[in-house]
Amino acid sequence: MTTSVIVLSHNTRELTLACLSQFATEADRAGWQIILVDNASHDETVPAVRREFPQVEVIWSKENLGFAAGNNLGLRQASGRAVILLNSDVLAPFTTLARLPALLDAYPHAAILSPQLLTVSGTPQAFAYGNDPTLPYLFKRGLYRLLRRGPLHDWGVRSPLEVDWVSGACMCVRRAAFEQVGLLDEHFFLYFEDNDWCLRMRKAGWKVMYIPTFAVVHLGGQSWPAPQVAGHHYRNSLRYFYQKHYGPPATWLLTIGLTVYHTLLKAMIANVWYKKQQ
């Protein structure tokens, strides 16, 4: 299956070079298309990549477009029947990436699949996959956190799973699927764009797979904004997701639920801090 790889970067020059060094030479020999989409970096990422990896097609945006719009620039230029989206803070050797297009052949009903994501310490990364953020799901997840009962999912799962969504940090997408449902929704700047894409493909009859039989390392959060800004993007994206997929009543309930949850969470954190001072 002809393959394109899209690496998205934003002020991560050294990470981007490390990411490309894992696979670019072998991928080029195999006839893969490699695209770097740079979201307005000011750390000399683009000239460094052009110098060290001349085989890479570079798209430079004058402004930081975010995850969805940035990757869409690459998707419009990609020619492969399989397209791998890769964050610049992912370390994935060519031998690992080469398994992804083959797995699309092995799972003909899958639109998107992802390998296991590992942290730099080698532990399974949380939220590498998950369920749609429905009100019952979010209520259960919030309750588990408040009661300190741990995560809802087994991030160390060992067998392939059909899931609602996989992380956009490293995902392989079938061209036929995204040509059917469209590109990433650019109303999402950060967060939930991968969830939205997976949901749209599932509604069109496709499946989404998490394949933990092989793994890549995701350093995580290397180009994210400050926590306050990231939290703002998260809440805005979640509300837009609800407006788009669940409608006004659910969005209203979500807003109330988030307010109550954050109030309880702040009280719990304050209580823990107070006990530590005793």
Side-chain angles (χ1 to χ4, degrees), residues 128-139:
Y129 70 89
N131 290 44
D132 287 330
T134 60
L135 286 172
Y137 175 79
L138 289 182
F139 176 80

Side-chain angles (χ1 to χ4, degrees), residues 3-18:
T3 305
S4 302
V5 183
I6 300 169
V7 177
L8 185 68
S9 65
H10 174 63
N11 290 328
T12 55
R13 181 182 61 183
E14 298 308 315
L15 288 173
T16 301
L17 295 175

Side-chain angles (χ1 to χ4, degrees), residues 147-206:
L147 298 177
R148 300 181 185 178
R149 292 185 58 181
L152 296 180
H153 303 283
D154 177 10
W155 309 117
V157 65
R158 296 181 180 275
S159 301
L161 287 178
E162 182 180 341
V163 296
D164 286 352
W165 61 269
V166 292
S167 168
C170 180
M171 60 163 56
C172 186
V173 188
R174 191 185 302 272
R175 171 173 292 278
F178 74 74
E179 285 184 343
Q180 179 181 355
V181 306
L183 301 180
L184 290 154
D185 186 338
E186 297 184 8
H187 286 91
F188 296 99
F189 181 83
L190 186 64
Y191 301 114
F192 291 101
E193 60 283 292
D194 42 14
N195 197 159
D196 170 76
W197 214 23
C198 290
L199 178 54
R200 285 155 53 201
M201 292 188 185
R202 285 168 34 231
K203 285 181 176 179
W206 295 95

Side-chain angles (χ1 to χ4, degrees), residues 1 11 36 44 47 62 82 91 116 161 170 179 182 260 272:
M1 186 177 290
N11 290 328
L36 172 74
E44 302 297 312
K62 294 181 180 180
L91 300 176
Q116 184 179 48
L161 287 178
C170 180
E179 285 184 343
V260 173
V272 170

Side-chain angles (χ1 to χ4, degrees), residues 67-230:
F67 183 91
N71 272 304
N72 281 349
L73 291 177
L75 287 165
R76 293 186 184 100
Q77 187 162 312
S79 57
R81 287 177 53 217
V83 181
I84 299 172
L85 303 189
L86 202 63
N87 281 10
S88 61
D89 59 357
V90 171
L91 300 176
F94 178 72
T95 51
T96 298
L97 292 183
R99 299 180 67 176
L100 293 170
L103 282 167
L104 282 182
D105 283 332
Y107 293 95
H109 300 295
I112 295 179
L113 51 84
S114 166
Q116 184 179 48
L117 301 183
L118 298 177
T119 67
V120 69
S121 64
T123 58
Q125 181 188 295
F127 302 108
Y129 70 89
N131 290 44
D132 287 330
T134 60
L135 286 172
Y137 175 79
L138 289 182
F139 176 80
K140 186 176 181 181
R141 199 175 87 182
L143 187 62
Y144 268 47
R145 184 177 181 187
L146 291 171
L147 298 177
R148 300 181 185 178
R149 292 185 58 181
L152 296 180
H153 303 283
D154 177 10
W155 309 117
V157 65
R158 296 181 180 275
S159 301
L161 287 178
E162 182 180 341
V163 296
D164 286 352
W165 61 269
V166 292
S167 168
C170 180
M171 60 163 56
C172 186
V173 188
R174 191 185 302 272
R175 171 173 292 278
F178 74 74
E179 285 184 343
Q180 179 181 355
V181 306
L183 301 180
L184 290 154
D185 186 338
E186 297 184 8
H187 286 91
F188 296 99
F189 181 83
L190 186 64
Y191 301 114
F192 291 101
E193 60 283 292
D194 42 14
N195 197 159
D196 170 76
W197 214 23
C198 290
L199 178 54
R200 285 155 53 201
M201 292 188 185
R202 285 168 34 231
K203 285 181 176 179
W206 295 95
K207 294 181 178 181
V208 177
M209 301 295 299
Y210 185 69
I211 315 290
T213 51
F214 63 107
V216 299
V217 174
H218 182 211
L219 303 178
Q222 301 300 308
S223 61
W224 285 355
Q228 258 190 331
V229 178

